[in-house]
């Protein structure tokens, strides 16, 4: 099944780079820098200009890389979700839960990862077929929230986003998350045009992930 294969690929990436950008070029170059640095999971947000075209370009660029996993972020409605999926997005991420987006993603066998801040939201998302739940903002709910959720829902896969850094990434994994989303701490230098630093940051995140998984 396509959805199962994508979920396995998402889990393998371990780190998903949340890529925004003031221009199409900035977002595109930031995403490439992340992938070239070893962070193969990309959440290209629809706050970036021409996000669907960037997704299509990245899919073409890395069609021969079996580990590259290109998804769409900040997807607020089913119309945007379908545009992203038609452009080639392998997963859909939202800052909040939307049942119509969930149903559309289920129809196309595409993983839907909505942002949740409560047990009720997580249960609703799981009921509508979300296999990975985004705990967002991670800096607000904190790592203890993951432990609390895992008690009644040991089967849930969690991706914290917002507040994940190199310094605390291992603590998040120790709490039981499946993967993490990294934004400004990873791709921040792109806003100044420093894509080489983004690549170096990605290399550091990849190395840290390998270290965590080797323990």
């Amino acid at each position: 099944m396509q959805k199962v294969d994508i979920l396995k690929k998402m889990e393998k990436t371990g780190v998903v780079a949340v890529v925004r950008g003031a221009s199409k070029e900035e977002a595109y170059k930031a995403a490439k820098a992340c992938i070239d640095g070893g962070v193969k999971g990309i959440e290209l947000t629809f706050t970036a200009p021409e996000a669907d075209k960037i997704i299509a370009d990245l899919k073409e660029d890395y069609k021969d890389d079996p580990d590259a996993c290109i998804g769409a972020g900040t997807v607020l409605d089913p119309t945007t979700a379908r545009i992203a999926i038609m452009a080639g997005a392998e997963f859909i991420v939202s800052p909040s839960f939307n049942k119509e987006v969930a149903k559309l993603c289920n129809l196309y066998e595409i993983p839907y990862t909505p942002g949740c801040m409560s047990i009720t939201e997580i249960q609703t998302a799981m009921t509508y077929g979300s296999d990975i739940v985004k705990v967002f903002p991670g800096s607000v709910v904190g790592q203890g929230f993951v432990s609390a959720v895992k008690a009644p829902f040991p089967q849930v896969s969690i991706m914290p986003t917002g507040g994940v850094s190199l310094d605390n990434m291992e603590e998040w994994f120790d709490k039981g998350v499946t993967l993490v989303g990294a934004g400004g701490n990873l791709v921040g230098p792109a806003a100044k045009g420093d894509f080489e630093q983004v690549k170096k940051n990605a290399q550091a995140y990849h190395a840290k992930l390998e270290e965590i998984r080797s323990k």
Side-chain angles (χ1 to χ4, degrees), residues 8-70:
K8 287 178 180 175
K9 192 156 71 161
M10 288 176 71
E11 184 172 354
K12 185 179 179 183
T13 66
V15 179
V16 171
V18 182
V19 178
R20 304 186 186 278
S23 67
K24 179 185 177 185
E25 181 185 32
E26 180 190 319
Y28 172 70
K29 287 185 175 180
K32 283 185 70 74
C34 287
I35 296 172
D36 294 344
V39 173
K40 302 293 185 80
I42 301 293
E43 177 192 325
L44 203 293
T45 70
F46 263 74
T47 54
E50 300 181 81
D52 56 325
K53 294 180 182 177
I54 301 169
I55 290 168
D57 288 345
L58 291 170
K59 287 283 290 183
E60 177 62 27
D61 292 343
Y62 296 97
K63 64 179 184 290
D64 296 326
D65 185 341
D67 294 328
C69 194
I70 315 298

Side-chain angles (χ1 to χ4, degrees), residues 99-117:
K99 66 181 180 182
E100 297 305 321
V101 173
K103 289 192 283 189
L104 184 92
C105 289
N106 284 337
L107 178 65
Y108 286 100
E109 281 279 302
I110 294 292
Y112 174 47
T113 301
C116 299
M117 279 187 77

Side-chain angles (χ1 to χ4, degrees), residues 1 14 36 58 60 67 85 89 100 111 113 119 122 124 126 130 152 168 173 177 179 184 187 195 206 208-209:
M1 288 176 65
D36 294 344
L58 291 170
E60 177 62 27
D67 294 328
I85 292 167
E100 297 305 321
T113 301
I119 295 288
I122 289 172
T124 302
M126 292 169 68
S130 293
N168 65 23
F173 278 103
V177 303
L179 68 170
V187 300
F195 301 104
H206 179 68
K208 186 66 176 178
L209 180 69

Side-chain angles (χ1 to χ4, degrees), residues 157-179:
S157 292
I158 293 174
M159 178 178 78
T161 301
V164 175
S165 67
L166 273 174
D167 294 333
N168 65 23
M169 194 164 85
E170 185 169 358
E171 294 168 14
W172 282 107
F173 278 103
D174 285 346
K175 292 292 184 182
V177 303
T178 301
L179 68 170

